[in-house]
Structures are given as C-alpha cells and as structure tokens.
Amino acid sequence: MLIPYEKPFAEFLRFISDTYAKAEYPEAYIPYIAHKATAGYVLEKYFPELLSEFSRRNGEFVYAISEPGWKNSPLNMKSELRKKNDGTFELYANKGFVLDADLGVFAVKHESEFALVIVDTDYYRNSRVALEMPEATYKVGPDKSITHYRCEFTATLDIVPFRKISKRDILLISRTVVFREQVAYAVLAAAEAAKHHDMAGLKSRVDLLCQRAKEEPGHDDIAVAREILSAAIVRILAQPNAHGFWKWLGRFVKPD
C-alpha cells in the first residue's frame, strides 16, 4: 500500500482514519505515523530536496534523536558531528530508539550548536541491537516486521548532507515532532478502540482534528488529541491482545 506521505498533515490524518479499520496489518500504521510525523517533518523543513526520495522509498526514513540518559532533552545529547583536519567529518552517534530504515536523519551536536545529518544505516546496521520490548516491534507484512534498535557507532563521512541548527531550533523541532505524533496517534487510537467499542461520541473530535491539524500542531490541537487518547486508550487496553505500544503510550496520557 502506498502511504500518502507527500500529502499535507491533515490529509494524512484523514487517510489513517479512513483506512485503518480494514488494514490487513494494523500495527504497520504505527511506523507509518513515525515516518510522517518525525522524519517527514524534518525533511520538509530542512531537506526539501530529499522529499521526492522520501516518497520514492515509501517514507522509510527515520528520525534519530533520543539517547540513553538524555532525560528527554536534546540539550543533553552526546552524539556529535566533528570536522576533521583533512576536510572529512567524523560522526559519533549513540541513539536509543531508532526504527529500521535505509536512511536516517540524526540530530547531533556540532561545533557550538547542533546539526541534522543524513546517515545511511549501513554505517551501523551490523552493530545495532534490537530493543526487546513489546512496544518496539510491529508486523507490517506476512513475513516482515519493523523494530526499534539502539545503536552506537563512529563513522568517517566524506560527503555529509547536514544542516546546522541552533539550540532554539532543536528545541522547537523536538516539541513539534512530539505534537505531531500525539495528534496522529490520537486518530489511530480512536480507530483502534472503535474495533471493539462504540466511539461515536468521539467522531466529531476526530473529524475536527483531521480537518484543522496544521503541519506544526499547536496547543489547541494537543488538547483535542489528549482528550481522544484518554478516552480511547483505556478501552484499547481492556482488550487482552492489545499491542504493547498502547500500554507504552498510555504512560503519557491520563485515561478518563
């Protein structure tokens, strides 16, 4: 199935709402959202020349920012891009929650501020370690699953597509991608809960979110998203076979 990654965020949300109920592999929608909400946003904002490649690869770019011990703040990152005397670059990366994909956008320190670096996952594919957690793996096909990994590596890069960004920008990016994920997962949660419960009372809230969601959601969108998540997740977790992702997501939402 072709995912409409090239569409505006609101249209992508409508796609989730309209197609999820009949999905053969519903777990696949979790990484679909991760690709669109995180890597897709960063590419659109900082690497627009790569958007056609993003679509051609059906969204399989990842955004790597979380690190062991970073306490959910990019200001605590240890990963770094350094320019060497011979003109090449050395990338040290230690990332803790990275989806499998061909290419990644790595957030790292650079000089006195930060950078976003496009990284071929071949640099760490042989040394990565799968996260053995129930919320970290998703079945996306008859014989295919996508999982999260942790990776730590140092690589010398001759050609480095990267963008310098300020401390302010890395903080804004971090907030925006979290907001985008929360909004999209709210739409997904409503669709998942509707498989076993009457969620008609939330339909107008989901429709509102799909209609007005901006590329950079604001606090008004988040308020609606959390309302939906609170109502939906408690119902999802009442099912004995609920995917571990929902329990993980439920830690960030106070159920009604």
Side-chain angles (χ1 to χ4, degrees), residues 5 20-21 26 34 44 49 93-94 102 111 158 186 190 214 220 231 241:
Y5 290 117
Y20 183 77
E44 181 178 326
E49 71 277 11
N94 184 4
D102 292 334
E111 296 176 344
D158 294 321
K214 303 176 283 292
D220 51 346
N241 297 320

Side-chain angles (χ1 to χ4, degrees), residues 2 6 67 75 116 151 253:
L2 289 176
E6 76 285 357
E67 296 191 0
L75 304 185
L116 300 168
C151 61
V253 180

Side-chain angles (χ1 to χ4, degrees), residues 57-113:
R57 292 175 182 264
N58 204 22
E60 291 194 6
F61 275 67
V62 295
Y63 181 55
I65 186 170
S66 63
E67 296 191 0
W70 75 316
K71 300 179 181 179
N72 291 320
S73 172
L75 304 185
N76 295 327
M77 287 192 300
K78 304 299 183 186
S79 298
E80 186 175 8
L81 181 70
R82 313 179 189 98
K83 189 170 184 179
K84 300 168 69 176
N85 292 334
D86 63 0
T88 62
F89 287 81
E90 181 179 81
L91 172 67
Y92 165 72
N94 184 4
K95 296 297 182 182
F97 213 74
V98 185
L99 269 178
D100 186 25
D102 292 334
L103 294 170
V105 186
F106 278 60
V108 299
K109 288 187 174 180
H110 177 59
E111 296 176 344
S112 61
E113 299 200 75

Side-chain angles (χ1 to χ4, degrees), residues 27 31 100 136-149:
E27 293 175 19
D100 186 25
T137 300
Y138 319 105
K139 188 174 180 63
V140 300
D143 301 302
K144 183 181 179 183
S145 293
I146 291 178
T147 194
H148 283 91
Y149 295 86

Side-chain angles (χ1 to χ4, degrees), residues 37-38 41-42 63 172-181:
T38 63
Y41 170 73
V42 175
Y63 181 55
L172 288 174
I173 291 170
S174 299
R175 185 185 71 174
T176 298
V177 297
V178 168
F179 279 13
R180 282 165 65 95
E181 285 183 308

Side-chain angles (χ1 to χ4, degrees), residues 127-253:
S127 60
R128 65 188 183 179
V129 178
L131 298 180
E132 296 181 359
M133 301 184 298
E135 66 268 27
T137 300
Y138 319 105
K139 188 174 180 63
V140 300
D143 301 302
K144 183 181 179 183
S145 293
I146 291 178
T147 194
H148 283 91
Y149 295 86
R150 60 180 175 85
C151 61
E152 183 175 9
F153 64 95
T154 300
T156 297
L157 309 175
D158 294 321
I159 300 175
V160 190
F162 75 96
R163 299 289 186 273
K164 293 182 180 180
I165 57 174
S166 67
K167 179 170 69 174
R168 177 181 179 275
D169 285 343
I170 194 70
L171 291 171
L172 288 174
I173 291 170
S174 299
R175 185 185 71 174
T176 298
V177 297
V178 168
F179 279 13
R180 282 165 65 95
E181 285 183 308
Q182 288 188 9
V183 167
Y185 288 138
V187 174
L188 189 69
E192 174 64 20
K195 291 181 178 180
H196 305 285
H197 300 273
D198 181 2
M199 302 299 289
L202 279 183
K203 186 178 185 305
S204 63
R205 308 301 285 161
V206 174
D207 288 343
L208 176 64
L209 208 53
C210 292
Q211 289 167 9
R212 77 179 192 185
K214 303 176 283 292
E215 296 303 314
E216 298 180 353
H219 290 284
D220 51 346
D221 300 306
I222 292 302
V224 176
R226 289 180 177 170
E227 176 188 337
I228 295 168
L229 285 167
S230 295
I233 286 181
V234 69
R235 291 165 173 79
I236 294 170
L237 294 180
Q239 302 304 312
N241 297 320
H243 191 279
F245 170 80
W246 297 111
K247 184 176 181 180
W248 173 82
L249 187 62
R251 295 185 305 163
F252 305 97
V253 180

